[in-house]
Amino acid sequence: MAAAGDELRMWRNFQRRARFFRPDVGECRVKPPLFDYLVARSSDEAIRLLSDNPGAMILAGGQSLIPAMNFRLASPSALIDISRIAALKSIDIVDGNVRVGAAVKHRDLEQSDAAFAVNPLMRTALHYVAHVPIRNRGTTVGSLCHADAAAEMPMILLLSDGWVMAEGPNGQRKIPAAEFFEFHMTTTREADEMIVSATFPALPSGAGYAFAEFARRKGDYAVAAVGAILECDLDGRVAAARLAACGIASRPIRLFDVEASLVGANLSDAEIDAAGELAKEAVTAPDDANATTAYRQHLLASLTRRVIREASEKVRKG
């Protein structure tokens, strides 16, 4: 794991690249480089095409990848379209968890009553993902693979202790969310692997949940967002707590210190306020065009207090 100073330098380098301006020639590039377009009719064919075309990338909905290509943040040699693979378009309840295929659109998952019954946090967070036209085309697994540090669904997968299933020439491997997200727009997926599904575990029985986000405009990426899952004992004290955040670091992160501080608490105003203050320490994102580090700390503290209160109310209401 990169040291704090190394991570800050990585952020600065990424921000410079993300300006899309080349001072040496005085131009902004807004169109993608040349690439081949390939259509896969099965997962096996997609994996074979990945192996046969070094530098290729998977295209599902394209709502994140195509803009990244336009601004030269991604320069694949080929796009392998998996949107025609029927087997990747299903939302299944497997062992009580929600398994989402790689070609499932955000909107389909958002409107799935079966998925909502198992893990309602997904629908809650999906409401904040861009706008309906984008959710009609973009895919949830595509968002996970794009791994924007301010995106909602990577954070929800992490908060839910979920995982993705990668498939490549050497077979399948399960990658827990805690090991999948490495850095902004960087995951541990190998170049010859395709993520074929993501699994969002069911929320614990009787648990309270909440999600809160602040963005500059509705549909924008989060300046800061927090999700919470709380379980309480019969005395109303917190038995287990999970909190995660996005927009405040180089990847979605769990707020482990805040979680530990809540276990055993009866969630008095003082304890919730203290948890919000403790959350500030998790902010590592440097100042950028959207917010200063200090402002993100303020947001994270406020949002953390909000989700704890909302999740605790859901527990009490049963």
Side-chain angles (χ1 to χ4, degrees):
M1 184 178 295
D6 293 335
E7 185 167 293
L8 180 58
R9 282 190 289 274
M10 293 169 72
W11 263 113
R12 295 297 189 197
N13 288 337
F14 181 84
Q15 287 176 326
R16 281 193 287 271
R17 286 188 285 119
R19 291 191 181 105
F20 319 129
F21 180 72
R22 293 189 58 199
D24 55 323
V25 294
E27 67 180 14
C28 291
R29 295 192 172 194
V30 293
K31 292 298 178 185
L34 294 176
F35 60 90
D36 293 327
Y37 174 73
L38 308 170
V39 177
R41 303 292 177 177
S42 67
S43 295
D44 288 342
E45 183 180 8
I47 292 164
R48 178 182 60 77
L49 290 171
L50 272 176
S51 298
D52 293 346
N53 295 271
M57 295 182 71
I58 296 293
L59 173 70
Q63 300 304 290
S64 297
L65 177 57
I66 299 302
M69 291 172 60
N70 285 343
F71 293 120
R72 307 296 175 102
L73 290 176
S75 300
S77 62
L79 292 183
I80 301 169
D81 190 343
I82 64 168
S83 64
R84 294 167 174 81
I85 303 177
L88 299 181
K89 295 182 178 182
S90 63
I91 302 169
D92 302 302
I93 309 303
V94 180
D95 297 328
N97 304 316
V98 183
R99 186 176 65 192
V100 182
V104 171
K105 303 293 193 291
H106 285 308
R107 189 65 169 161
D108 292 334
L109 181 59
E110 182 182 6
Q111 294 182 317
S112 170
D113 290 335
F116 177 79
V118 172
N119 188 330
L121 263 171
M122 291 188 296
R123 179 180 290 178
T124 304
L126 280 163
H127 177 72
Y128 290 86
V129 175
H131 304 278
V132 171
I134 300 298
R135 298 201 295 274
N136 280 336
R137 292 291 302 169
T139 62
T140 298
V141 172
S143 175
L144 301 177
C145 293
H146 186 64
D148 193 293
E152 294 85 1
M153 295 315 290
M155 186 261 274
I156 295 299
L157 187 72
L158 180 67
L159 175 63
S160 302
D161 279 336
W163 62 88
V164 299
M165 191 64 69
E167 188 170 337
N170 298 319
Q172 289 192 340
R173 66 184 181 112
K174 175 181 174 180
I175 310 175
E179 300 172 10
F180 185 62
F181 304 108
E182 207 168 36
F183 187 71
H184 186 62
M185 295 176 65
T186 308
T187 70
T188 56
R189 179 188 66 85
E190 298 294 341
D192 60 353
E193 289 180 323
M194 177 176 72
I195 303 302
V196 295
S197 67
T199 297
F200 295 81
L203 297 191
S205 177
Y209 66 91
F211 176 88
E213 173 179 309
F214 178 84
R216 294 179 66 183
R217 297 171 300 182
K218 180 175 172 54
D220 280 3
Y221 280 111
V223 177
V226 184
I229 302 171
L230 296 182
E231 299 175 71
C232 295
D233 60 23
L234 295 177
D235 295 325
R237 294 186 177 274
V238 177
R242 276 186 262 162
L243 287 93
C246 64
I248 53 98
S250 60
R251 61 186 178 278
I253 62 169
R254 285 279 294 273
L255 303 178
F256 290 115
D257 290 343
V258 178
E259 294 173 358
S261 75
L262 291 175
V263 174
N266 61 12
L267 298 180
S268 65
D269 288 343
E271 288 169 326
I272 294 174
D273 288 343
E277 289 301 306
L278 187 59
K280 291 181 178 180
E281 299 177 10
V283 177
T284 58
D287 296 356
D288 60 24
N290 292 313
T292 63
T293 298
Y295 186 59
R296 277 195 170 89
Q297 290 174 329
H298 168 76
L299 281 177
L300 185 60
S302 177
L303 295 173
T304 297
R305 291 191 291 266
R306 184 186 305 177
V307 297
I308 292 172
R309 287 193 171 94
E310 184 177 335
S312 66
E313 283 299 316
K314 284 189 172 74
V315 174
R316 293 189 181 101
K317 291 178 181 178

